[in-house]
Amino acid sequence: MMRCISCGKEYDDDEIVYTCECGSILEVEVEPKDIPRETFDCRRDNIWKYKEYLPVNYENRVSLDEGGTPFCKCDKIGDELGIDLYVKVEGSNPTGSFKDRGMSVGTTKAVDLGVGMVGCASTGNTSASLSAYAARAGLKCAVVLPSGKVALGKLAQAMFHGAKVFSIDGNFDDALKTITELALEGELYLLNSINPFRLEGQKTIGYEIVHDLKWQSPDRIILPVGNAGNISAIWKGITEFRDAGYIKDTPKMTGIQAENSAPIANAVREGRDTVTPVENPDTIATAIRIGAPVSSVKAMRAIKESDGTAETVSDDEILSAQMYLARTEGIGVEPASAASIAGVKKLVENGEIEKGERVVCVVTGHVLKDPNVAIDACEEPTAVSSDPADIRNILKTI
Ligand code: AN7
């Protein structure tokens, strides 16, 4: 069953509906299950090991073995900041971002419903993931992208997996309006995160983090926020496992946005409950270049209920955090993902995070998603002759 998060109206799972009659957004209701948590340990390590909590038909599942991503303790950065730091590496998913969790469940729902075509608007990763999962499921796929603002790796994926790719003269928020109109006309099944079944897949990040920590909650989970689906989904996962009795405590949900694309962080800073859209969002972290987050009500609820917060970081802070993580811990992430690392640093510095806190940063996408940013940040390779002496001399200087 789906339920409106504002007025409580209920909708049947078989209905194709994206928003409530009252205009607000929907959530899938999942009851606690009578399953001991040890059950999950003896299953293959992907999102489907939590199948009882995924409200779609398991027999129809569209899977590329997504989930079960690395959970790396990062002592070098942690020691420098005086915290206990873990990084959940979502770039290790099949198409290189956390979106695969949501698309696995979302395309399974599409198969359950018997639709023929799926679609989304995207800043890049959603389209890369959907086009792969649609191929796997044998569904037609259409994606609408903001022209010139999608990182190269993501664009390559969407095209290569065979989606029909449209490029519009506008930003993500405009692209979402366009594809939503087509979905409401019944042309295609919409798999943006306004579709609550997408978030059912993404909530498994929350499940995995507490499972990775041997059924304990971290003090805090930090992640980049664009449309705010992921922060809402992770909080849903955490509260479901709390309600099932698998964990006792819950983490402070902490969202990081880019300075000029920060409607949620602005609202939190100004103590407002309602989120005002940003007209012309801009940041080098194109994944989170979003002005009107679809899931802002859910995200504000997650932040409030969890006693969390939201913060902004500048493009420069994002780029230096991206390189710092790559060169200190060996974890390569795209700019948007580095916002969580830039965020943890800022929150330690301004005293919001206490010394000794156990913090999990979710890094959402792989460095290869945006090769241009990575290359622009580095020196050119040094041209040498094939004589080893040339190289030997230079190696003495590094
Ligand atoms: C790497 O692909 O919105 O707050 O259309 O690709 O759940 O939106 C991507 C978002 C963070 C933000 N990190 O997550 C899209 C899209 C990366 C992302 C986010 C995105 P949400």
Side-chain angles (χ1 to χ4, degrees):
M1 184 186 64
M2 291 178 278
R3 189 193 295 278
C4 172
I5 65 160
S6 299
C7 75
K9 186 172 163 60
E10 295 174 4
Y11 295 85
D12 197 82
D13 274 352
D14 296 337
E15 266 183 81
I16 296 185
V17 51
Y18 306 105
T19 49
C20 182
E21 277 165 21
C22 78
S24 191
I25 50 178
L26 306 173
E27 182 166 79
V28 183
E29 207 157 83
V30 175
E31 299 291 328
K33 313 284 174 202
D34 189 17
I35 300 166
R37 60 195 189 187
E38 292 72 29
T39 310
F40 307 126
D41 288 326
C42 52
R43 295 179 177 168
R44 191 172 168 80
D45 196 8
N46 63 40
I47 66 165
W48 297 95
K49 72 171 177 278
Y50 306 110
K51 63 182 177 184
E52 289 84 354
Y53 286 89
L54 300 178
V56 287
N57 186 351
Y58 179 71
E59 304 305 319
N60 285 344
R61 73 190 174 285
V62 183
S63 177
L64 291 164
D65 219 19
E66 53 292 316
T69 50
F71 188 67
C72 298
K73 189 143 197 297
C74 288
D75 285 338
K76 284 190 252 175
I77 298 182
D79 288 352
E80 202 166 308
L81 297 177
I83 57 170
D84 198 12
L85 179 68
Y86 295 81
V87 171
K88 184 77 172 152
V89 187
E90 288 298 293
S92 294
N93 276 298
T95 78
S97 84
F98 70 98
K99 305 282 182 185
D100 293 342
R101 298 172 183 270
M103 285 310 174
S104 179
V105 174
T107 50
T108 300
K109 183 68 192 172
V111 173
D112 284 351
L113 290 166
V115 302
M117 194 186 296
V118 290
C120 68
S122 182
T123 58
N125 280 323
T126 299
S127 65
S129 182
L130 180 58
S131 57
Y133 280 84
R136 181 89 166 154
L139 296 165
K140 290 185 185 174
C141 178
V143 307
V144 182
L145 308 177
S147 167
K149 292 293 180 182
V150 173
L152 205 61
K154 307 173 188 182
L155 184 61
Q157 288 176 295
M159 292 164 67
F160 200 70
H161 286 295
K164 180 67 199 166
V165 179
F166 297 97
S167 164
I168 62 154
D169 183 17
N171 60 26
F172 168 84
D173 306 298
D174 303 317
L176 184 60
K177 272 191 211 117
T178 305
I179 196 88
T180 302
E181 262 185 53
L182 291 161
L184 293 176
E185 287 165 13
E187 291 289 340
L188 48 84
Y189 183 57
L190 186 63
L191 277 171
N192 279 99
S193 56
I194 194 163
N195 184 327
F197 287 94
R198 260 274 308 281
L199 300 186
E200 289 302 294
Q202 287 172 212
K203 74 184 179 184
T204 58
I205 298 177
Y207 291 175
E208 283 183 19
I209 288 173
V210 296
H211 198 167
D212 284 330
L213 289 170
K214 305 206 165 39
W215 304 110
Q216 287 188 349
S217 169
D219 296 313
R220 188 183 296 272
I221 295 178
I222 306 187
L223 71 159
V225 169
N227 247 319
N230 211 26
I231 191 170
S232 312
I234 295 175
W235 180 240
K236 186 171 193 283
I238 294 281
T239 52
E240 283 176 1
F241 271 15
R242 177 199 59 198
D243 296 347
Y246 300 156
I247 51 167
K248 283 202 198 70
D249 301 324
T250 56
K252 295 183 164 87
M253 298 303 299
T254 302
I256 310 296
Q257 298 199 290
E259 233 161 48
N260 296 322
S261 310
I264 290 177
N266 291 345
V268 169
R269 185 177 51 235
E270 291 159 21
R272 285 185 277 118
D273 278 337
T274 49
V275 172
T276 316
V278 168
E279 280 301 329
N280 292 304
D282 207 11
T283 166
I284 189 150
T286 50
I288 52 172
R289 186 176 172 271
I290 293 171
V294 163
S295 297
S296 57
V297 178
K298 288 183 183 174
M300 292 301 282
R301 195 180 59 180
I303 289 168
K304 202 168 181 177
E305 282 178 11
S306 72
D307 192 26
T309 189
E311 185 54 273
T312 59
V313 290
S314 69
D315 280 4
D316 284 346
E317 287 168 324
I318 287 174
L319 291 175
S320 39
Q322 185 193 17
M323 189 168 273
Y324 179 52
L325 183 65
R327 297 195 173 181
T328 311
E329 303 284 2
I331 300 172
V333 303
E334 65 169 285
S337 313
S340 63
I341 303 296
V344 72
K345 192 163 176 281
K346 186 163 179 182
L347 291 169
V348 166
E349 282 164 9
N350 71 17
E352 176 79 28
I353 292 181
E354 289 170 29
K355 293 287 170 192
E357 263 193 37
R358 179 186 274 186
V359 177
V360 176
C361 282
V362 182
V363 291
T364 42
H366 200 280
V367 64
L368 291 176
K369 291 285 192 172
D370 199 339
N372 295 330
V373 164
I375 288 171
D376 288 350
C378 301
E379 279 176 27
E380 295 256 314
T382 306
V384 288
S385 74
S386 56
D387 180 356
D390 269 10
I391 295 181
R392 200 178 305 121
N393 287 336
I394 295 169
L395 289 182
K396 291 200 178 80
T397 69
I398 65 170

